Structures are given as structure tokens and as C-alpha cells.
Amino acid sequence: MLGGAKNEEIVNENEERLSEIAKQELGPILNLKGDPDYEKIIIWKHAIPQYVMGHRQRLQNIDNRLNELGGLYLAGNAFTGIGLNDTIKRSHKIAESLQID
């Protein structure tokens, strides 16, 4: 993975250049010799939410308001974690909190 909030401009590079950058970065770390047998380059310019200062307080405010409303739940990677595991964890917590009589 390349890019992110601190290197947004890298997604403007062509695929050949992105491949070259990835190999340069990984080569010394993984002691790579030669090119990979297979590579796939996917460019997602807005793939991962970037949390900013105050995100936790906003979440707390949202949760407080949802609790006041009752019966409304929000889940997804914009809340408590960007990864699939974080999203599943939040979804499980929501499901467990539901009281079905």
C-alpha cells in the first residue's frame, strides 16, 4: 500500500512508476532478488478514511444522540476502525446489544 494522508500525490503516478516505488521500498526489507512473478496495481484515491482530531469526541456525540433516539445503529469503517476486522467487531457489538424479546 502506498499513499495515505501524508503522501496523497503518489496516486497520480502511473502504474509502472508505482510498481517501481513498491519494489524499491520492499526490496531491502524483504531481501528481494528480482521482479515478482505476479503483481496487481489498484489505485483507490479515497480508499481509507483519514480520522482527524476530534474524531473520538464526534463519535461519542453521535453515540449519545443515537442512545437518545433508541433503535438506530450505525456501523462501517468510518466509525471505529478502517479495517474489515474493526467493522465486523463493531457490527457484532451492535448485534449483541440488541434485545430481542
Side-chain angles (χ1 to χ4, degrees):
M1 297 173 91
L2 303 170
K6 296 181 181 179
N7 191 7
E8 291 178 6
E9 68 280 353
I10 199 167
V11 298
N12 296 318
E13 298 286 349
N14 63 44
E15 290 188 9
E16 184 178 308
R17 178 68 182 128
L18 291 172
S19 173
E20 184 180 303
I21 293 168
K23 290 175 205 172
Q24 287 173 353
E25 295 285 327
L26 291 174
I29 296 168
L30 300 174
N31 196 27
L32 299 176
K33 308 281 191 243
D35 291 333
D37 292 334
Y38 175 81
E39 66 182 56
K40 177 75 175 168
I41 297 171
I42 300 171
I43 300 172
W44 288 337
K45 291 188 178 189
H46 305 290
I48 298 177
Q50 301 295 313
Y51 301 137
V52 295
M53 294 292 286
H55 181 72
R56 286 184 194 190
Q57 185 58 50
R58 272 188 297 283
L59 285 180
Q60 187 61 54
N61 294 342
I62 290 168
D63 283 341
N64 291 342
R65 185 67 178 118
L66 289 173
N67 287 334
E68 291 172 11
L69 294 171
L72 182 61
Y73 304 90
L74 301 175
N77 70 343
F79 295 97
T80 57
I82 60 172
L84 181 60
N85 291 343
D86 297 314
T87 302
I88 291 170
K89 183 178 178 182
R90 180 171 172 90
S91 298
H92 277 283
K93 283 185 177 182
I94 290 170
E96 289 169 357
S97 74
L98 298 175
Q99 294 182 10
I100 301 173
D101 296 321

